[in-house]
């Protein structure tokens, strides 16, 4: 956005939020030099936030790319002012970030959890529906397969229930990464506690193959385990033994207790 355009917009609306970008990897690495030149030229001095599209081949690489970007823009005071205005994975086509339909829901949850913990703001998925008529080309185009739902006429969920759970339980919370040292979490397990004022949630999964059994003691009341594929929920006791594998376990409860969930393997 030019400085003149920023001034013109603010003349019309003094309370407007100005967003600049959107930056992305181009094509194999972050264009750090170009981003620094924009800031150092003064082109970004009148914007409130900056937009970033952290597309990569899996959730772990997405968050690494985000952290690289945050490190660069933090030099100019924007490390905590990043909006994710696009992110996602195609379930078809030729892009190297393509993932299977079976793994798509877990990719949605892991990406949201990682980016929320990293401090990203306003996480927007690209896109809601796959198009009705896919591009007719010699090679299938990955742009036709980013939807959370198959199409408007075929509302079969690809990952919409996973997205719904993230959108429902992760915003307006404080996200904590639970650790082996403080919480007794095995090193192969990723665990994120989303603490809200009235409701909290726990998302955890195991990296690599196989599963681990964990005993979990949850604070609060009204504990539920949610299925990231179907969106269904079942009530569970505050003290439960579960098997944790590659697909994220999603648990919610009521109450704003300061107590952290506790874990043991015995």
């Amino acid at each position: 956005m030019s400085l003149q355009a920023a001034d013109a917009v603010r003349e019309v609306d003094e309370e407007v939020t100005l967003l600049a970008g959107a930056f992305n990897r181009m094509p194999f690495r972050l264009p750090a030099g170009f981003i620094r030149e924009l800031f150092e030229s003064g082109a970004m001095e009148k914007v409130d936030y900056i937009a970033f599209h952290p597309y990569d081949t899996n959730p772990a690489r997405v968050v690494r790319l985000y952290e690289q970007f945050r490190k660069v823009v933090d030099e100019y005071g924007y490390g905590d002012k990043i909006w994710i205005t696009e992110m996602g994975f195609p379930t078809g086509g030729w892009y190297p970030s393509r993932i299977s339909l079976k793994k798509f829901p877990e990719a949605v949850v892991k990406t949201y959890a990682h980016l929320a913990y990293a401090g990203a703001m306003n996480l927007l998925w690209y896109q809601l529906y796959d198009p009705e008529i896919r591009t007719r080309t010699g090679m299938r185009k990955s742009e036709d397969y980013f939807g959370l739902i198959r199409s408007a006429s075929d509302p079969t969920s690809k990952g919409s229930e996973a997205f719904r759970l993230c959108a429902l339980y992760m915003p307006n919370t404080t996200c904590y990464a639970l650790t082996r040292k403080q919480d007794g979490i095995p090193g192969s397990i990723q665990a994120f506690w989303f603490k809200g004022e009235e409701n909290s949630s726990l998302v955890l999964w195991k990296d690599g193959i196989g599963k681990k059994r964990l005993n979990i003691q949850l604070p609060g009341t009204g504990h539920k385990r949610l299925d990231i594929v179907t969106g269904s929920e079942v009530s569970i006791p505050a003290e439960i033994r579960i098997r944790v594998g590659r697909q994220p376990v999603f648990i919610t409860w009521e109450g704003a207790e300061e107590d952290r969930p506790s874990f043991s393997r015995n």
Side-chain angles (χ1 to χ4, degrees):
M1 174 176 290
S2 70
L3 301 182
Q4 293 85 353
D7 289 337
V9 171
R10 292 196 191 279
E11 285 182 8
V12 176
D13 185 353
E14 295 180 355
E15 298 181 359
V16 70
T17 297
L18 295 183
L19 186 67
F23 299 103
N24 197 352
R25 189 180 56 179
M26 299 291 290
F28 301 112
R29 61 184 178 84
L30 188 72
F34 171 72
I35 295 169
R36 288 190 175 96
E37 287 176 3
L38 280 177
F39 277 99
E40 291 169 6
S41 71
M44 309 290 282
E45 67 183 34
K46 293 188 178 182
V47 301
D48 302 301
Y49 300 93
I50 49 179
F52 186 47
H53 298 172
Y55 288 108
D56 215 311
T57 55
N58 59 59
R61 289 180 63 90
V62 165
V63 77
R64 283 199 294 271
L65 181 61
Y66 172 83
E67 288 171 345
Q68 292 172 12
F69 179 73
R70 181 177 61 184
K71 184 177 180 180
V72 172
V73 300
D74 195 43
E75 299 173 15
Y76 306 95
Y78 281 82
D80 60 349
K81 300 177 181 179
I82 304 170
W83 288 21
I84 304 299
T85 54
E86 277 189 29
M87 64 181 181
F89 305 94
T91 55
W94 56 269
Y95 285 2
S97 57
R98 181 185 67 251
I99 62 173
S100 67
L101 282 168
K102 183 178 180 180
K103 294 182 179 180
F104 190 58
E106 72 179 69
V108 173
V109 173
K110 290 176 180 180
T111 301
Y112 261 85
H114 274 306
L115 289 175
Y117 177 66
M121 305 174 67
N122 295 323
L123 310 179
L124 306 180
W125 198 266
Y126 173 78
Q127 55 192 346
L128 179 57
Y129 296 107
D130 285 348
E132 295 283 352
I133 301 176
R134 294 196 169 101
T135 307
R136 298 181 182 276
T137 62
M139 297 170 59
R140 292 196 304 167
K141 189 176 181 182
S142 287
E143 293 293 328
D144 295 335
Y145 295 91
F146 274 91
L148 293 163
I149 299 172
R150 286 189 183 275
S151 69
S153 62
D154 176 11
T156 303
S157 172
K158 293 166 58 183
S160 59
E161 289 300 327
F163 175 85
R164 182 181 67 84
L165 296 180
C166 293
L168 187 61
Y169 292 104
M170 292 183 184
N172 303 313
T173 63
T174 302
C175 182
Y176 300 91
L178 306 182
T179 65
R180 178 200 294 265
K181 182 176 181 180
Q182 185 170 358
D183 305 289
I185 293 284
S188 60
I189 290 182
Q190 301 269 0
F192 298 92
W193 171 32
F194 294 86
K195 181 181 179 298
E197 293 185 0
E198 298 181 359
N199 299 277
S200 296
S201 59
L202 174 68
V203 177
L204 65 163
W205 66 86
K206 180 182 177 297
D207 291 330
I209 61 174
K211 294 185 177 183
K212 285 187 180 294
R213 291 186 180 274
L214 283 180
N215 296 318
I216 306 178
Q217 179 67 52
L218 299 165
T221 60
H223 310 92
K224 296 178 181 179
R225 181 170 177 174
L226 311 175
D227 189 304
I228 68 168
V229 177
T230 65
S232 62
E233 58 183 52
V234 295
S235 296
I236 59 173
E239 187 172 346
I240 186 173
R241 183 172 175 82
I242 63 172
R243 298 177 68 197
V244 182
R246 185 186 67 195
Q247 181 168 291
V249 174
F250 205 121
I251 295 172
T252 68
W253 63 91
E254 299 172 3
E257 288 86 350
E258 294 294 333
D259 295 339
R260 303 164 75 92
S262 60
F263 306 84
S264 70
R265 295 180 60 188
N266 298 324

